[in-house]
mmCIF file of all heavy atoms in Angstrom:
data_model
loop_
_atom_site.group_PDB
_atom_site.id
_atom_site.type_symbol
_atom_site.label_atom_id
_atom_site.label_comp_id
_atom_site.label_asym_id
_atom_site.label_seq_id
_atom_site.Cartn_x
_atom_site.Cartn_y
_atom_site.Cartn_z
ATOM 1 N N ARG M 121 -5.298 -0.634 -47.294
ATOM 2 C CA ARG M 121 -6.503 -1.610 -47.553
ATOM 3 C C ARG M 121 -5.842 -2.982 -47.303
ATOM 4 O O ARG M 121 -6.624 -3.736 -46.678
ATOM 5 C CB ARG M 121 -6.929 -1.394 -48.886
ATOM 6 C CG ARG M 121 -8.435 -2.074 -49.019
ATOM 7 C CD ARG M 121 -8.776 -1.869 -50.470
ATOM 8 N NE ARG M 121 -8.711 -0.589 -50.948
ATOM 9 C CZ ARG M 121 -8.702 -0.138 -52.351
ATOM 10 N NH1 ARG M 121 -8.813 -1.203 -53.226
ATOM 11 N NH2 ARG M 121 -8.634 1.061 -52.602
ATOM 12 N N GLN M 122 -4.762 -3.282 -47.870
ATOM 13 C CA GLN M 122 -4.104 -4.581 -47.846
ATOM 14 C C GLN M 122 -3.792 -4.851 -46.286
ATOM 15 O O GLN M 122 -4.266 -6.102 -45.798
ATOM 16 C CB GLN M 122 -2.831 -4.627 -48.613
ATOM 17 C CG GLN M 122 -2.079 -5.928 -48.708
ATOM 18 C CD GLN M 122 -2.988 -6.983 -49.075
ATOM 19 O OE1 GLN M 122 -3.727 -6.926 -50.081
ATOM 20 N NE2 GLN M 122 -3.007 -8.150 -48.366
ATOM 21 N N ALA M 123 -3.225 -4.033 -45.524
ATOM 22 C CA ALA M 123 -2.974 -4.352 -44.198
ATOM 23 C C ALA M 123 -4.198 -4.706 -43.349
ATOM 24 O O ALA M 123 -4.260 -5.563 -42.572
ATOM 25 C CB ALA M 123 -2.296 -3.200 -43.655
ATOM 26 N N THR M 124 -5.278 -3.860 -43.590
ATOM 27 C CA THR M 124 -6.535 -4.174 -42.926
ATOM 28 C C THR M 124 -7.087 -5.583 -43.290
ATOM 29 O O THR M 124 -7.541 -6.173 -42.415
ATOM 30 C CB THR M 124 -7.504 -2.999 -43.198
ATOM 31 O OG1 THR M 124 -6.901 -1.806 -42.956
ATOM 32 C CG2 THR M 124 -8.762 -3.131 -42.390
ATOM 33 N N ALA M 125 -7.080 -5.812 -44.669
ATOM 34 C CA ALA M 125 -7.702 -7.027 -45.086
ATOM 35 C C ALA M 125 -6.970 -8.148 -44.491
ATOM 36 O O ALA M 125 -7.641 -9.118 -44.047
ATOM 37 C CB ALA M 125 -7.656 -7.114 -46.546
ATOM 38 N N THR M 126 -5.570 -8.128 -44.390
ATOM 39 C CA THR M 126 -4.844 -9.254 -43.792
ATOM 40 C C THR M 126 -5.276 -9.374 -42.370
ATOM 41 O O THR M 126 -5.607 -10.596 -42.039
ATOM 42 C CB THR M 126 -3.334 -8.718 -43.729
ATOM 43 O OG1 THR M 126 -2.971 -8.381 -45.070
ATOM 44 C CG2 THR M 126 -2.492 -9.916 -43.385
ATOM 45 N N ILE M 127 -5.413 -8.412 -41.460
ATOM 46 C CA ILE M 127 -5.761 -8.611 -40.173
ATOM 47 C C ILE M 127 -7.061 -9.174 -39.896
ATOM 48 O O ILE M 127 -7.350 -10.084 -39.227
ATOM 49 C CB ILE M 127 -5.601 -7.284 -39.402
ATOM 50 C CG1 ILE M 127 -4.032 -6.941 -39.391
ATOM 51 C CG2 ILE M 127 -6.093 -7.457 -38.012
ATOM 52 C CD1 ILE M 127 -3.782 -5.591 -38.748
ATOM 53 N N LEU M 128 -8.040 -8.503 -40.775
ATOM 54 C CA LEU M 128 -9.534 -8.931 -40.693
ATOM 55 C C LEU M 128 -9.659 -10.367 -41.285
ATOM 56 O O LEU M 128 -10.709 -11.015 -40.890
ATOM 57 C CB LEU M 128 -10.367 -7.975 -41.453
ATOM 58 C CG LEU M 128 -10.636 -6.676 -40.756
ATOM 59 C CD1 LEU M 128 -11.479 -5.722 -41.697
ATOM 60 C CD2 LEU M 128 -11.504 -6.941 -39.548
ATOM 61 N N GLY M 129 -8.670 -10.876 -41.931
ATOM 62 C CA GLY M 129 -8.887 -12.197 -42.331
ATOM 63 C C GLY M 129 -8.421 -13.303 -41.298
ATOM 64 O O GLY M 129 -8.868 -14.568 -41.483
ATOM 65 N N TYR M 130 -8.059 -12.930 -40.097
ATOM 66 C CA TYR M 130 -7.808 -13.896 -39.098
ATOM 67 C C TYR M 130 -8.907 -13.943 -38.182
ATOM 68 O O TYR M 130 -9.452 -12.903 -37.825
ATOM 69 C CB TYR M 130 -6.461 -13.635 -38.301
ATOM 70 C CG TYR M 130 -5.246 -13.697 -39.233
ATOM 71 C CD1 TYR M 130 -4.607 -12.590 -39.739
ATOM 72 C CD2 TYR M 130 -4.773 -15.081 -39.733
ATOM 73 C CE1 TYR M 130 -3.521 -12.675 -40.684
ATOM 74 C CE2 TYR M 130 -3.748 -15.017 -40.695
ATOM 75 C CZ TYR M 130 -3.142 -13.919 -41.120
ATOM 76 O OH TYR M 130 -2.136 -13.969 -41.944
ATOM 77 N N PRO M 131 -9.206 -15.162 -37.489
ATOM 78 C CA PRO M 131 -10.356 -15.159 -36.546
ATOM 79 C C PRO M 131 -10.184 -14.382 -35.353
ATOM 80 O O PRO M 131 -9.023 -14.293 -34.867
ATOM 81 C CB PRO M 131 -10.409 -16.735 -36.173
ATOM 82 C CG PRO M 131 -9.404 -17.439 -37.123
ATOM 83 C CD PRO M 131 -8.495 -16.376 -37.619
ATOM 84 N N GLU M 132 -11.221 -13.916 -34.738
ATOM 85 C CA GLU M 132 -11.083 -13.120 -33.564
ATOM 86 C C GLU M 132 -10.516 -13.998 -32.393
ATOM 87 O O GLU M 132 -10.603 -15.189 -32.316
ATOM 88 C CB GLU M 132 -12.497 -12.750 -33.013
ATOM 89 C CG GLU M 132 -12.894 -11.378 -33.330
ATOM 90 C CD GLU M 132 -14.193 -11.005 -32.643
ATOM 91 O OE1 GLU M 132 -14.241 -10.542 -31.697
ATOM 92 O OE2 GLU M 132 -15.196 -11.013 -33.411
ATOM 93 N N GLY M 133 -9.728 -13.364 -31.422
ATOM 94 C CA GLY M 133 -9.027 -13.991 -30.441
ATOM 95 C C GLY M 133 -7.709 -14.640 -30.883
ATOM 96 O O GLY M 133 -7.071 -15.420 -30.044
ATOM 97 N N THR M 134 -7.226 -14.437 -32.024
ATOM 98 C CA THR M 134 -5.983 -15.113 -32.431
ATOM 99 C C THR M 134 -4.854 -14.016 -32.670
ATOM 100 O O THR M 134 -5.252 -12.802 -32.678
ATOM 101 C CB THR M 134 -6.079 -15.722 -33.738
ATOM 102 O OG1 THR M 134 -6.317 -14.775 -34.794
ATOM 103 C CG2 THR M 134 -7.096 -16.856 -33.749
#
Side-chain angles (χ1 to χ4, degrees):
Chain M
R121 196 186 308 158
Q122 180 53 44
T124 308
T126 306
I127 293 174
L128 283 175
Y130 298 108
E132 260 187 83
T134 64

